[in-house]
Amino acid sequence: MLKSNSMKTYQLAFLLLTIAVIPSVAQVQNRESLDPKVTEVWEPKAKKVNPGALPGDVPSDAVVLFNGKDLSEWTSLDGIPAKWEVKDGSFTVVKGAGDIKTKKVFGDMQLHIEWRTPAIVESEGQGRGNSGIFLQERYELQVLDSYESQTYRNGQAGAIYKQHSPLVNATRKPGEWQTYDVIYTTPRFSESGDAIIPAYITVLHNGIVIQNHVEIRGPTEFKGLPVYVAHGKASIKLQDHGNPVSYRNIWLREL
């Protein structure tokens, strides 16, 4: 009886495979007779976006998160005005002022952000120009002076902290401006709160791919392994790690 059932299962699988393959084979054999218009998509037309005249210009559909003048788009975590220093078109961590986050919340995004660690090196490893960019307040893209500095690889500049090491070290010298360009998709959760699709992230550091569509395994943890907890849209958070790291030219496109 078991043998008969196995044979029937095999025959059914073969039949389904045959049904799936025959149309594809027929299409290849008769491709010259097909109308190319059948596979053309004309509507709706793609939205027009002005990318700017010069490299570094802000796209016309971007949300500008820093205007070079004030921190009106940011707040401290407790809701009071952000107390980081704004000067010369950038803003800098003030030690002890605490983390700051955007007033607006976001989901899937393209993010451009520029950062600079102090020109004068006063420490090593994780104490050298340390800050962090937390997507949705949970998932950290490490900011660190990793130029000729030693630390654990999954904690250096460009790491998805303690989850994914950067493919290469593209860090410029201390005191020089660096860029991150990020493509990020949020995790999707079931009604019961389970993560059915994880978050994914791609990162270019100074124009070089250092994270290639890697899976984020859960919120950033200093100790232990990450575990997803269901959430919706959330802010971008910048970390006060005690070092005077600066930021500028921050914009975001919602995807």
Side-chain angles (χ1 to χ4, degrees):
M1 187 66 175
L2 289 176
K3 184 175 181 181
S4 176
N5 287 340
S6 298
M7 180 61 70
K8 290 179 179 178
T9 300
Y10 173 80
Q11 290 172 338
L12 177 60
F14 180 79
L15 177 61
L16 292 174
L17 179 62
T18 302
I19 293 172
V21 169
I22 287 175
S24 299
V25 173
Q27 177 173 286
V28 171
Q29 292 175 342
N30 300 291
R31 191 175 297 277
E32 292 302 320
S33 65
L34 298 176
D35 182 354
K37 290 185 174 60
V38 172
T39 51
E40 295 175 0
V41 177
W42 287 72
E43 297 292 344
K45 296 184 182 300
K47 177 184 175 182
K48 176 64 177 175
V49 174
N50 184 353
L54 300 172
D57 284 353
V58 178
S60 60
D61 65 343
V63 177
V64 177
L65 294 176
F66 179 58
N67 59 13
K69 300 176 181 179
D70 58 55
L71 290 173
S72 58
E73 294 292 330
W74 300 80
T75 180
S76 296
L77 300 189
D78 57 7
I80 65 174
K83 296 181 179 179
W84 293 14
E85 181 185 22
V86 179
K87 184 179 180 180
D88 298 330
S90 66
F91 63 90
T92 302
V93 176
V94 174
K95 184 178 180 180
D99 299 350
I100 65 174
K101 67 178 183 177
T102 58
K103 293 179 179 178
K104 297 175 182 176
V105 296
F106 305 100
D108 299 346
M109 71 182 78
Q110 173 188 350
L111 173 68
H112 175 87
I113 188 166
E114 300 178 14
W115 55 274
R116 179 181 65 188
T117 59
I120 299 175
V121 177
E122 296 182 345
S123 186
E124 270 301 317
Q126 292 293 303
R128 183 167 158 172
N130 194 325
S131 184
I133 302 161
F134 286 77
L135 303 177
Q136 298 196 298
E137 304 176 50
R138 295 166 172 81
Y139 313 111
E140 183 182 12
L141 171 57
Q142 175 73 306
V143 171
L144 192 72
D145 176 7
S146 294
Y147 185 81
E148 298 180 352
S149 176
Q150 297 300 314
T151 190
Y152 43 97
R153 185 175 174 184
N154 61 352
Q156 72 179 68
I160 308 307
Y161 188 77
K162 292 258 181 113
Q163 295 191 32
H164 294 285
S165 304
L167 295 172
V168 294
N169 183 349
T171 312
R172 292 186 174 130
K173 295 179 181 179
E176 295 186 5
W177 282 102
Q178 326 242 7
T179 65
Y180 280 159
D181 287 286
V182 178
I183 307 296
Y184 167 78
T185 56
T186 68
R188 269 57 174 177
F189 298 95
S190 67
E191 291 183 0
S192 60
D194 296 323
I196 52 178
I197 301 176
Y200 286 94
I201 189 168
T202 296
V203 182
L204 281 74
H205 184 189
N206 297 325
I208 296 173
V209 175
I210 60 167
Q211 302 287 355
N212 187 13
H213 192 64
V214 297
E215 175 186 329
I216 296 177
R217 301 178 185 128
T220 295
E221 300 289 353
F222 181 55
K223 298 180 180 180
L225 299 177
V227 177
Y228 272 114
V229 177
H231 64 84
K233 290 185 176 183
S235 304
I236 295 170
K237 183 176 73 173
L238 301 180
Q239 183 185 43
D240 169 12
H241 202 279
N243 301 139
V245 175
S246 300
Y247 293 92
R248 71 177 187 186
N249 295 347
I250 307 172
W251 55 263
L252 177 151
R253 295 181 64 249
E254 297 185 84
L255 302 178

